[in-house]
Amino acid sequence: MWKIKDPELKAKVNQFFTDKEIHEEFEKNTDLYNYFRLSTVNKKGLCVTITVEKELVEFVPEYQENDWNPYPTVTPPVDGKKWLTQDEDGNLAIRSFTRSFEEGIDYSWEDHDDRLIVAFRSLPAPYQPEETK
């Protein structure tokens, strides 16, 4: 999804436009200009138009529930949940993931050096024989 890079600017623009609206307008834009426009009219008739330079936007991959997600480009959306991880040597393991906010955001995989994890995905549903489904 295309998102505004600067968190402060993003917060200001998100007062009027969702990330989905920003993404959609950026995608519609042609390459003729180095900016794109966001425009809306609310229920009270207030018209808001914001022009954003393209260089202020970056593509941020989103979490894919049924596929491998590159780590740390994408981080797990839920803390404490178990995930299937793959390290740089191709080894697979089930680990939980947590975030701490003590000194900024810090990511941590259970019992493993975060720098060695290259991907993660959701665990599949447990097997159930046909007669118990």
Side-chain angles (χ1 to χ4, degrees):
M1 177 176 281
W2 290 100
K3 293 185 180 182
I4 295 174
K5 295 179 203 178
D6 179 359
E8 188 176 327
L9 176 61
K10 181 181 179 321
K12 289 178 182 177
V13 174
N14 282 155
Q15 291 177 3
F16 302 101
F17 303 96
T18 65
D19 283 342
K20 183 179 178 185
E21 291 169 325
I22 294 167
H23 171 79
E24 288 171 355
E25 288 305 314
F26 187 88
E27 287 278 303
K28 281 193 236 177
N29 192 18
T30 65
D31 288 331
L32 297 174
Y33 305 103
N34 61 353
Y35 61 87
F36 67 103
R37 284 196 176 103
L38 299 161
S39 187
T40 189
V41 177
N42 73 7
K43 293 176 184 173
K44 295 182 181 181
L46 174 67
C47 177
V48 176
T49 300
I50 298 175
T51 303
V52 181
E53 290 186 17
K54 286 182 182 179
E55 67 185 34
L56 299 176
V57 178
E58 67 182 341
F59 187 79
V60 178
E62 292 186 302
Y63 168 70
Q64 301 297 315
E65 184 175 356
N66 298 313
D67 204 355
W68 284 101
N69 294 275
Y71 180 83
T73 305
V74 177
T75 57
V78 179
D79 285 0
K81 180 180 171 183
K82 296 285 187 183
W83 302 92
L84 180 59
T85 63
Q86 181 176 337
D87 67 21
E88 61 187 8
D89 294 327
N91 300 314
L92 302 176
I94 297 173
R95 295 186 177 86
S96 63
F97 180 83
T98 57
R99 289 176 181 82
S100 66
F101 297 94
E102 294 166 9
E103 296 178 24
I105 300 175
D106 185 31
Y107 305 108
S108 178
W109 287 102
E110 169 188 55
D111 301 327
H112 206 70
D113 185 344
D114 290 19
R115 295 170 294 184
L116 302 178
I117 301 292
V118 296
F120 70 95
R121 67 178 300 150
S122 290
L123 294 174
Y127 170 75
Q128 291 183 342
E130 284 298 319
E131 57 271 359
T132 61
K133 283 186 180 181

